[in-house]
Amino acid sequence: MRRRLVTTYVLLLFLVLLALEIPLAVSLTGRETERVLSDRIADTTRLASLAVPAVRSGEFASLLDELGRYHELYGIGATFVDLDRRPWIGFGGDPLTAEHAAAAVRGALAGRVVGTPGTLWPWESRPLVVAVPVDDGGAVLGAIVTVSPTGGNRGAILLAWLQLGLLGAVAVAICVLAALRLAGWVLRPVTRLDEVTHEIAAGDGGARVHPGSGPPELRRLSASFNEMADAVAESLERQRSFVAHASHQLRNPLTVLRLRVESLGTALADDDAREDHRFALEETDRFAEMLDGLLALARAERGEHPTETVDAVEAVRRRERAWLPLIAHRGVTLRVTVPDWPCHVRQAATALDQSLDALIDNALKFTPAGGTVEVTVEPRDGGVEVSVRDTGPGMTLDQCRRATERFWRAPDAQNVDGAGLGLPIVTALVAASGGHLTLAPATTGGLVARLWWRSGTPPLTRDQGVPEVAGTT
């Protein structure tokens, strides 16, 4: 858009310059032509007046001397032509050899003063021919013809044109600089609006546009955008607060309900009734798990987690020790591959632990007995990547794209335990830490979930202490 604005400004100026400079160049050419033509007509008229007594008396010596001195002084050919159009006396060659001289001589013998060409254009090379009749009381006795070279005059006209062109080029250069600054000033609010829109889309709900720059219309647009962003952020905050409060408030009555349902089990003697009682308890547990997931998701999206730096290698080792008993009970092998050195990452509090628990739990749900769950830590793209790979049935690319939607379940996993909130919670936690989650089918079968985290600066240990500041005690 900036390029189009600058192009428009420069094109308009260029058209204005053409509209001004072309008439000015034509005017300069006409003025120079008129000046030269007037000068030659005056000289030729003077020579014609001197020719009258010479023709009348038949003594051409004085006229011959005058024509010779004129040619010697100015380099201009001057010739007396009789009524039969024959060059009689003169210097500078035969004037009739010039292609447009014949017409000038005919005009002069007809009693008119003729000068040709009418305009000295720089791209032409014809000489200036002026023919003046030798008039004796109304009787034309012949004509004086002068042939002037015009190279110097055309050079002066071309130089004036070049000066005009240079002046126009300077004006265009100044206009380009002014147009760039003007376009930048006009588009700065639009550029900032575009940046803030991307920042909000990336999860920075507090990004706003500074409305103090640019044209008044765009300043009002920036203010309106900020009001809209505030309204959307407030609406989202109310929605998250409602989900968090509802999830929290429903936990107590649900706990009481489960206790009452559980106490009823001891009084049931019928097998069908005990089976229904077991289903009722499973449903209450599933409902409690869903409420816990909604509460965790609301907290993650509200950014209530303070950030901290942790060692990803140590976190993976810690979750390995926690999950080993259950993994062994399921008959699944857990394989951990980590570097021999610490890999510090910046995370929202407990984000890495919660994410690993959710991903390992998902991997265990879909990995059959005898399968393998592999957790890997490695530096990648300036950060640290923690991946969880399983040997289960995996998902298609379309299912991988939809797996982070809330309550989404794969068509072939409707009967698997879970509320469909695990991956959305992981996505929110990793995003709150400045990282991202990607899901993809593993090349060896199954699914691989990759968590990318920003590298963090390891915290100072007690032995390292706090650096002393000069001058303090």
Side-chain angles (χ1 to χ4, degrees):
M1 187 173 181
R2 182 178 183 180
R3 185 172 62 252
R4 293 191 184 96
L5 279 177
V6 173
T7 302
T8 302
Y9 296 154
V10 174
L11 181 60
L12 288 176
L13 176 67
F14 186 72
L15 293 176
V16 171
L17 285 175
L18 286 180
L20 292 176
E21 291 199 346
I22 289 178
L24 183 58
V26 172
S27 175
L28 287 174
T29 305
R31 190 169 60 186
E32 178 66 14
T33 301
E34 184 179 354
R35 185 190 66 79
V36 176
L37 185 60
S38 299
D39 183 68
R40 297 297 179 275
I41 288 176
D43 294 345
T44 309
T45 301
R46 187 181 68 83
L47 295 173
S49 64
L50 295 176
V52 172
V55 175
R56 187 187 302 157
S57 62
E59 296 292 336
F60 290 94
S62 59
L63 178 61
L64 185 62
D65 292 340
E66 191 67 27
L67 295 179
R69 285 196 297 271
Y70 183 75
H71 175 68
E72 183 179 357
L73 286 175
Y74 303 106
I76 299 174
T79 305
F80 170 74
V81 179
D82 62 10
L83 293 176
D84 295 329
R85 303 180 199 172
R86 292 178 299 180
W88 191 259
I89 57 173
F91 294 88
D94 186 357
L96 299 179
T97 55
E99 58 183 15
H100 54 293
V105 171
R106 284 196 301 272
L109 294 179
R112 294 182 285 110
V113 177
V114 179
T116 183
T119 304
L120 299 177
W121 298 113
W123 54 82
E124 293 182 349
S125 60
R126 293 185 299 172
L128 176 62
V129 177
V130 175
V132 175
V134 178
D135 189 352
D136 183 15
V140 176
L141 304 178
I144 294 294
V145 182
T146 59
V147 180
S148 308
T150 57
N153 305 105
R154 297 181 195 278
I157 293 173
L158 183 60
L159 179 61
W161 284 21
L162 291 176
Q163 291 174 346
L164 281 177
L166 180 62
L167 184 62
V170 172
V172 169
I174 294 175
C175 178
V176 169
L177 294 177
L180 286 172
R181 296 183 63 85
L182 180 61
W185 176 73
V186 170
L187 295 179
R188 190 173 299 116
V190 179
T191 304
R192 184 54 185 154
L193 275 173
D194 181 66
E195 294 173 353
V196 171
T197 301
H198 284 84
E199 291 173 2
I200 292 176
D204 186 3
R208 295 295 183 270
V209 182
H210 189 273
S213 61
E217 294 81 1
L218 293 182
R219 289 203 295 268
R220 285 197 297 272
L221 176 62
S222 300
S224 301
F225 178 86
N226 289 339
E227 293 174 0
M228 181 196 68
D230 291 339
V232 172
E234 184 179 356
S235 176
L236 289 175
E237 180 59 26
R238 284 200 299 267
Q239 180 182 0
R240 291 165 182 164
S241 297
F242 171 78
V243 172
H245 293 163
S247 302
H248 185 269
Q249 293 300 321
L250 285 174
R251 288 171 58 92
N252 292 335
L254 182 62
T255 302
V256 174
L257 176 63
R258 192 185 190 290
L259 291 175
R260 289 185 177 277
V261 172
E262 187 177 2
S263 64
L264 290 176
T266 57
L268 298 175
D270 185 71
D271 292 340
D272 293 338
R274 284 198 293 272
E275 185 67 12
D276 291 339
H277 176 259
R278 186 177 64 82
F279 286 149
L281 289 177
E282 289 180 356
E283 286 302 312
T284 54
D285 291 340
R286 182 169 176 271
F287 191 19
E289 181 182 355
M290 184 180 298
L291 290 179
D292 291 340
L294 286 172
L295 185 59
L297 182 60
R299 287 174 175 172
E301 290 182 339
R302 293 176 68 178
E304 294 180 349
H305 298 269
T307 57
E308 61 184 8
T309 298
V310 298
D311 181 9
V313 174
E314 176 59 29
V316 169
R317 291 292 189 194
R318 187 167 57 247
R319 302 325 301 164
E320 177 190 13
R321 291 192 294 271
W323 280 94
L324 269 179
L326 180 58
I327 289 177
H329 178 72
R330 296 281 183 89
V332 176
T333 301
L334 176 61
R335 185 181 303 158
V336 174
T337 305
V338 296
D340 296 332
W341 56 88
C343 292
H344 292 93
V345 299
R346 193 70 181 166
Q347 64 154 15
T350 71
L352 180 54
D353 287 352
Q354 293 187 59
S355 300
L356 282 172
D357 286 344
L359 295 180
I360 294 175
D361 182 55
N362 273 349
L364 278 179
K365 289 176 183 175
F366 295 100
T367 302
T372 302
V373 175
E374 183 177 1
V375 181
T376 305
V377 178
E378 57 183 343
R380 185 179 295 277
D381 298 333
V384 177
E385 182 179 277
V386 180
S387 61
V388 178
R389 188 189 311 267
D390 62 56
T391 54
M395 291 192 294
T396 63
L397 289 175
D398 181 64
Q399 291 174 341
C400 289
R401 283 191 292 269
R402 300 192 57 192
T404 54
E405 298 177 4
R406 299 177 187 180
F407 303 109
W408 183 87
R409 305 292 298 276
D412 54 351
Q414 297 296 323
N415 296 325
V416 179
D417 293 340
L421 291 173
L423 291 178
I425 293 173
V426 173
T427 303
L429 290 172
V430 178
S433 306
H436 55 78
L437 165 68
T438 56
L439 300 174
T443 56
T444 57
L447 180 71
V448 56
R450 296 185 175 91
L451 300 168
W452 184 88
W453 307 84
R454 294 181 300 169
S455 295
T457 304
L460 295 176
T461 63
R462 184 182 299 275
D463 295 337
Q464 290 172 314
V466 178
E468 294 184 358
V469 178
T472 60
T473 58

